[in-house]
Amino acid sequence: KSDLEKFTILYRDIKFSMGIHNYMFFFEMLRYFFLPFGTIFFFGMPLLQISLMISFNIIFLLYVVIVRPFKRISDHIFTILKEITVNFAFVSAILLVLCDKNNNLDSNYRLNLGWMIIGCNLTLLIIIFLDTLIVYIRKLVMLKNRLANKNFVRNSTLNIINK
């Protein structure tokens, strides 16, 4: 088998018609690398950390919206929803950092921002769960269709042999 067939999960549902799409997985891994790197490297500057994370997410979101690298519309929708949800959580965290910098001790405001972060993360988990569920349903339908085709071919062959 070719490497593409062995590691097809890395390229799942990506269009190959344009050159940049071949590197989508690499760009995604770079994004995941910069998240902990930025957190560690800019430990004393939380505003810079979150600003960089939001910038990376907005660039990726613009890429997904403009280039549309996925074959299925559901993959586009789920990716866009995930990026928007993560950005809302990051914006809430920026507002918390700004409250700390400005010595805003309004506990009700901070509590609402905290609940917004929790709500965004819960929404993100639900979106990921639904996306995963749809992928598994697609795979089960494909498996069912393959089994039905095999049974149809086997029954057709048996009918021809028996005649």
Side-chain angles (χ1 to χ4, degrees):
K1 290 183 174 181
S2 71
D3 287 339
L4 183 60
E5 290 173 358
K6 287 180 191 174
F7 305 107
T8 189
I9 191 69
L10 303 179
Y11 300 101
R12 183 177 51 91
D13 297 331
I14 304 293
K15 296 178 189 173
F16 286 99
S17 61
M18 301 169 79
I20 192 74
H21 295 270
N22 293 330
Y23 304 104
M24 172 105 177
F25 179 73
F26 177 71
F27 293 137
E28 187 73 11
M29 289 299 109
L30 274 179
R31 236 176 52 147
Y32 292 139
F33 168 76
F34 282 120
L35 182 69
F37 175 76
T39 304
I40 293 168
F41 191 68
F42 301 114
F43 182 74
M45 300 173 267
L47 191 59
L48 180 62
Q49 285 177 0
I50 297 171
S51 299
L52 287 174
M53 290 178 204
I54 287 176
S55 299
F56 281 129
N57 282 347
I58 288 175
I59 290 169
F60 183 73
L61 182 63
L62 288 174
Y63 170 77
V64 169
V65 168
I66 293 170
V67 179
R68 299 178 56 87
F70 301 105
K71 289 181 182 177
R72 293 186 180 96
I73 191 70
S74 64
D75 293 331
H76 286 288
I77 292 170
F78 279 117
T79 302
I80 290 169
L81 286 175
K82 287 181 216 175
E83 293 303 316
I84 289 172
T85 306
V86 168
N87 277 332
F88 272 121
F90 284 159
V91 167
S92 299
I94 275 187
L95 293 175
L96 277 174
V97 170
L98 290 176
C99 283
D100 285 344
K101 284 200 178 273
N102 296 329
N103 292 327
N104 184 355
L105 301 176
D106 182 13
S107 61
N108 195 28
Y109 180 72
R110 295 170 64 84
L111 186 66
N112 288 337
L113 287 175
W115 279 112
M116 185 167 177
I117 293 171
I118 291 170
C120 288
N121 288 329
L122 183 61
T123 303
L124 184 63
L125 285 174
I126 291 169
I127 291 170
I128 291 170
F129 173 75
L130 290 175
D131 189 23
T132 306
L133 185 66
I134 288 173
V135 168
Y136 281 118
I137 289 172
R138 276 189 208 140
K139 290 190 184 272
L140 286 174
V141 168
M142 286 174 44
L143 181 64
K144 180 183 171 236
N145 290 340
R146 283 185 192 163
L147 290 175
N149 274 345
K150 283 183 182 180
N151 287 337
F152 176 74
V153 169
R154 185 175 44 182
N155 289 339
S156 299
T157 307
L158 288 176
N159 287 340
I160 291 172
I161 292 173
N162 288 335
K163 288 183 181 183

